[in-house]
Amino acid sequence: MSEESLLTTVSIEGPLSMSLPPKEEFSEWYNEVLRTAEIMDVRYPVKGMYVWHPFGFELKDRVYDELKAGLRSTGHDEAMFPLLIPRTELMKEGEHIADFEKEVFWVDRAGVDELEEPLALRPTSETAIYPMFRLWIRSHTDLPLKVFQVVNTFRYETEHTRPLIRLREITSFKEAHTAHASAGEAEAQVDEALGVYGEFFESIGVPFTVTRRPSWDKFPGAEYTYAFDTLMPNGRTLQIGTVHNLGENFAETFDVTFEDEDGEQRHVHQTCYGISERCVAAVIGVHGDDNGLRLPWSVAPVQVAVVPILFAGSEEEVMEACLDVEERLDEEGIRVELDDSDDRPGEKFFRWELRGAPVRIEIGPRDLESDCAKLVSREGEETAVPLEGVVERVQAVASEYDGRLFDEAAANLEDELVKADTIEGARGIVGRGVAVVGWCGEDGCGKSLEEQLNGDLLGALSDREGSGECIGCGSGARVAAAVARTY
Ligand code: A5A
Ligand code: MG
Ligand code: ZN
């Protein structure tokens, strides 16, 4: 056996350690991908708090760049408020605190002193921000006010904690808060926010449903809540964002008023909306495969991995060609990494598939004989490309990559949204997909549906009409509602 064929054999098969649990075993797969692709280290000794590896952090930052761009382009300004909230402020809004009280971490000592007033670690920042809105807003000319911040928030979650999904320290909580002169403007803001979030999720390839949450699942203190959910591979939906119309509730509590055009003092109308690093969990869960991550081009920290196939005698020539390809891609603003580590080619292939690089370029002596490089898609399709045409070919792949990823995932979600006309039928769907059922919209009937179906009523789907009978009580179905098992 020649040296070359021996190495090739190794590179194709790879050692046994280079494998993941199949994606079908989603929970094991997810944990193993987070660990081996270096997204999160879960060994930090506080429950529900995890460490971002640099690779995961860069992925997160790129995802959040998309989100921030959408907010900025619609007139939201970034600000930052303190982590600690005085107890009296936190306790002011009765409905809000009734729900959050069980989840709050407290600071009640500083050094050796007991604090006169305990300070809460923000579980979310309404009660930190609105006392400042009170000072900032004087007149109708100060409205609308639209700010957002990306901060860590703390929630003492008692359900099973999971990295990126259910955290006690949410490290990347993006919360937007707005104030308006009228109810109509606040409603229009809810629509704008739904649009910004929809475009954001599409830009990271994550398909979603939008539902109006039932009254018992709305944000505490809100008039109503819309939520974005995606479907994870284990058949559970994950709430990946929410948009709330707060009406005048918080404005009344925090005395946030403005002088209108007739010189009258009025309460502002408010909205807020939030997204956490669950959106990164969604990117990972929705697109990954048995070989690891499949990252959208828009957010992949490494879009193209260049792997030299080295043999004694041609090393210099091969490295030169690799460096040239790297440089030309880099000049075009493509995030390229030349993997010149000492690992075997097979190990490098595994690494870049695991890390979700959309394209791998292999260059070896055989490719150079015909002045070509081998371009391998993340799905494993191989094409020989003339060296001088590599940049163009990569750009062609880039231009259609994310659209295809999203369409594939969206079609999959569409398949899993299954209409059911009976309780029996819906039972067979909940737990593996999303049951779409006629619902009268009554709270009592909805709660009983949740019990009978052993799932959560996500609420009325925004893009579907109710028709026929409510599957719970047989009266007219006012809405088409989604029911699923949730994270
Ligand atoms: N102030 C508003 C925006 C708010 O706090 N809304 S929220 O409670 O619904 O949170 C916004 C989003 O954060 C949720 O839709 C969910 O996607 C995410 N989230 C909530 N709790 C979380 C947790 N413990 N870990 C990770 N993400 C969480
Ligand atoms: Mg909660
Ligand atoms: Zn009913």
Side-chain angles (χ1 to χ4, degrees):
M1 217 186 247
S2 73
E3 196 187 3
E4 177 161 353
S5 60
L6 181 67
L7 280 170
T8 310
T9 306
V10 169
S11 77
I12 289 166
E13 304 211 340
L16 275 176
S17 65
M18 295 198 301
S19 71
L20 291 169
K23 201 185 177 195
E24 266 175 38
E25 293 161 26
F26 181 64
S27 168
E28 290 76 19
W29 177 92
Y30 181 74
N31 290 331
E32 208 41 26
V33 165
L34 291 189
R35 188 177 75 80
T36 55
E38 298 188 344
I39 306 290
M40 309 293 297
D41 193 324
V42 301
R43 293 172 298 177
Y44 193 75
V46 179
K47 185 176 156 61
M49 301 187 187
Y50 310 100
V51 179
W52 285 104
H53 280 295
F55 183 78
F57 195 79
E58 185 177 345
L59 169 62
K60 189 273 296 173
D61 259 0
R62 294 195 181 282
V63 167
Y64 276 69
D65 283 347
E66 298 284 331
L67 178 56
K68 288 181 179 186
L71 289 165
R72 291 206 180 98
S73 72
T74 46
H76 298 74
D77 295 319
E78 188 164 8
M80 181 157 303
F81 294 77
L83 163 64
L84 298 176
I85 304 175
R87 185 170 190 282
T88 44
E89 298 294 353
L90 187 77
M91 303 308 271
K92 265 183 189 162
E93 218 292 328
E95 194 186 329
H96 185 63
I97 192 57
D99 240 64
F100 271 112
E101 194 164 19
K102 304 172 297 302
E103 297 186 11
V104 177
F105 284 92
W106 290 99
V107 176
D108 51 23
R109 269 188 306 141
V112 295
D113 301 324
E114 190 111 333
L115 294 179
E116 250 169 59
E117 170 157 45
L119 301 168
L121 302 190
R122 60 185 162 214
T124 165
S125 303
E126 285 72 16
T127 59
I129 295 177
Y130 302 162
M132 300 307 295
F133 273 16
R134 175 172 187 268
L135 304 174
W136 291 357
I137 297 168
R138 301 266 71 127
S139 124
H140 61 93
T141 57
D142 298 323
L143 301 174
L145 178 61
K146 295 157 72 173
V147 298
F148 73 96
Q149 64 176 1
V150 182
V151 295
N152 56 350
T153 58
F154 295 80
R155 294 184 182 185
Y156 180 63
E157 297 280 358
T158 47
E159 279 181 63
H160 190 64
T161 52
R162 287 172 209 280
L164 302 178
I165 291 178
R166 183 164 286 104
L167 305 160
R168 287 186 173 176
E169 179 183 9
I170 307 172
T171 70
S172 313
F173 192 69
K174 192 291 297 167
E175 49 180 323
H177 296 267
T178 72
H180 308 269
S182 69
E185 284 170 54
E187 272 163 34
Q189 190 56 41
V190 165
D191 284 342
E192 180 184 88
L194 292 172
V196 170
Y197 277 12
E199 279 180 30
F200 162 65
F201 287 121
E202 186 164 344
S203 79
I204 59 169
V206 172
F208 52 82
T209 58
V210 178
T211 52
R212 184 163 164 142
R213 283 287 190 259
S215 63
W216 63 91
D217 199 23
K218 71 180 172 61
F219 184 66
E223 297 281 310
Y224 59 83
T225 290
Y226 283 102
F228 289 76
D229 295 274
T230 198
L231 183 63
M232 293 295 257
N234 59 0
R236 288 179 187 261
T237 58
L238 180 66
Q239 179 184 303
I240 47 176
T242 41
V243 178
H244 317 290
N245 189 335
L246 304 177
E248 295 172 80
N249 298 338
F250 285 86
E252 281 164 9
T253 304
F254 289 94
D255 196 25
V256 188
T257 60
F258 70 102
E259 189 177 287
D260 72 10
E261 288 172 38
D262 306 320
E264 300 268 337
Q265 289 295 317
R266 296 181 180 282
H267 286 122
V268 297
H269 297 256
Q270 292 179 275
T271 80
C272 70
Y273 27 105
I275 282 180
S276 76
E277 55 254 57
R278 277 186 186 184
C279 62
V280 178
V283 170
I284 293 171
V286 165
H287 299 301
D289 65 13
D290 286 351
N291 297 330
L293 299 172
R294 278 200 312 156
L295 295 180
W297 187 270
S298 59
V299 296
V302 174
Q303 294 164 322
V304 178
V306 179
V307 177
I309 314 293
L310 299 172
F311 298 102
S314 56
E315 277 151 321
E316 232 173 87
E317 195 190 350
V318 164
M319 277 313 286
E320 219 170 88
C322 287
L323 283 163
D324 177 63
V325 163
E326 183 198 23
E327 189 180 312
R328 286 189 287 132
L329 289 170
D330 184 65
E331 273 168 11
E332 292 303 313
I334 292 162
R335 297 191 287 275
V336 54
E337 184 150 323
L338 170 54
D339 190 342
D340 57 3
S341 67
D342 290 335
D343 298 329
R344 290 188 302 267
E347 292 171 309
K348 296 182 182 182
F349 300 166
F350 176 77
R351 167 156 59 240
W352 294 111
E353 279 173 11
L354 175 63
R355 291 188 166 206
V359 172
R360 174 173 86 231
I361 293 175
E362 302 169 22
I363 302 178
R366 274 194 200 152
D367 306 298
L368 290 185
E369 276 169 23
S370 52
D371 284 323
C372 278
K374 193 195 280 175
L375 205 137
V376 186
S377 77
R378 176 57 184 75
E379 287 73 33
E381 257 171 61
E382 300 184 2
T383 334
V385 180
L387 281 170
E388 77 263 24
V390 163
V391 172
E392 260 184 13
R393 177 57 69 93
V394 167
Q395 283 167 332
V397 172
S399 69
E400 57 85 51
Y401 196 82
D402 288 359
R404 189 169 45 75
L405 217 59
F406 178 74
D407 290 348
E408 190 188 302
N412 184 53
L413 175 59
E414 197 57 39
D415 282 350
E416 300 296 346
L417 284 174
V418 185
K419 212 168 165 321
D421 299 319
T422 60
I423 294 284
E424 262 324 296
R427 263 198 206 120
I429 297 159
V430 171
R432 61 175 180 79
V434 180
V436 179
V437 303
W439 178 41
C440 61
E442 296 300 322
D443 279 10
C445 178
K447 284 196 169 158
S448 135
L449 270 180
E450 286 193 332
E451 253 169 53
Q452 295 179 70
L453 298 179
N454 186 21
D456 289 322
L457 182 67
L458 303 181
L461 285 157
S462 285
D463 60 354
R464 301 198 187 202
E465 306 276 315
S467 66
E469 292 172 358
C470 169
I471 69 157
C473 65
S475 63
R478 273 207 308 109
V479 299
V483 186
R485 206 151 294 157
T486 60
Y487 265 99

